[in-house]
Amino acid sequence: MSVIETGGIDCDIHPSVPSLKALHPYLTDHWRDIILQRGMHELNSIAYPANSPLTARPDWRVEGIRPGSDLELLRQHALNPFQTSIAIANCLYGVQLLFSEDMGAGFARAVNDWMAAEWLDKEPRLRASIVVPAQSPEMAVDEINRVAPDKRFVQVLLLVMNDMPLGKRHYWPIYAAAAKHGLTVGIHAGSAYRHPVTPLGWPSYYTEDYAAQAAGFQQALSSLICEGVFTKFPDLKVVLLESGFTWLPAHLWRLTKFWRGLRMEVPWLDRAPTEIVKSNVRLTIQPCDGPPSEDMFQKLMEHMDSDELLLFSTDYPHWQFDGEDVLPAGLSRSLVRKIMIDNPRAAYARL
């Protein structure tokens, strides 16, 4: 076990909306009435089934309380044990699942106001991501502009599998608004479930779905690079959240190889994909899908070819590790500091 650094910055925790009723005070009268008239149910996707072991560690479960929905438990489970100085809250409530753009915008506004009042106001160690209705980039920009003056929001949150590849110009207004306000863009594992999570259709089992997330991140990263997002917004930082990271070297080798052979069709790329990732893209360390031995992990870090790519995260309350064994074994003290403090501060301008 690597020794954690005091004052680390946890880049991925998941406060959970305890129930739809918790958002009622933050919804407009119109949407509150709509919810009551329709008898709407909770906006929880199928990504994290309530009783699945992956959804929450056994020692982080409390009977009758939705995992991640209690601030005092978050302090006890995630902030205090890891001696965290700052933790970035990424709320995965199913705003992106709604087909109505207007309703999506209404719920995004409510979630952000709920986050500010119920979490940020009550715990100074917390920062948060702006939840946006990705169904409508125009409405997403409006929400970014509304929330951005609150400097405790440090990131714009998107799901890795949306309606279309994330590099498409359809989404560029979101990136422009993020860059304008000095916000990082966080792309989290998950799907709007408009399309299958595999290229050949819907899988049968969660095991397939979870494994397919890595391929989703590969596609999203390729799209962002090849469509020219980082050329258009050279200072934009993108963090891949809950993505794993061992897939990165091989994917970049392959992408860079074909870029060299086909670069005439993407003339706006003035650098190799490997160089773009080093300057603009970061990845959280949980889930750590690294090899089991220290020697093999050291070899992997050599293949990553940078000590600035990885960011500390616990992924609370999801079950990615036991106890305080949050970091891979065998990391040097200097690398632990970079992962836990220096790299997060460089990735998030608002910190």
Side-chain angles (χ1 to χ4, degrees), residues 242-314:
E242 207 170 318
S243 60
F245 55 89
T246 58
W247 53 265
L248 184 67
H251 180 65
L252 285 181
W253 291 338
R254 186 178 183 85
L255 183 61
T256 299
K257 169 189 174 182
F258 288 116
W259 166 75
R260 289 193 177 109
L262 299 167
R263 60 194 301 176
M264 63 182 294
E265 68 174 5
V266 285
W268 44 83
L269 294 190
D270 56 358
R271 295 175 293 156
T274 50
E275 297 306 312
I276 293 174
V277 167
K278 286 179 183 179
S279 63
N280 294 84
V281 179
R282 301 293 180 261
L283 306 91
T284 56
I285 204 163
Q286 290 294 344
C288 181
D289 50 0
S293 73
E294 292 185 24
D295 289 344
M296 294 173 68
F297 191 83
Q298 291 299 327
K299 181 61 69 174
L300 169 66
M301 293 306 296
E302 293 176 17
H303 290 169
M304 299 279 286
D305 195 29
S306 173
D307 61 2
E308 298 180 351
L309 295 178
L310 298 182
L311 309 179
F312 174 63
S313 66
T314 60

Side-chain angles (χ1 to χ4, degrees), residues 11-26:
C11 297
D12 189 32
I13 63 170
H14 298 295
S16 178
V17 177
S19 69
L20 191 56
K21 284 186 176 180
L23 294 182
H24 282 193
Y26 305 101

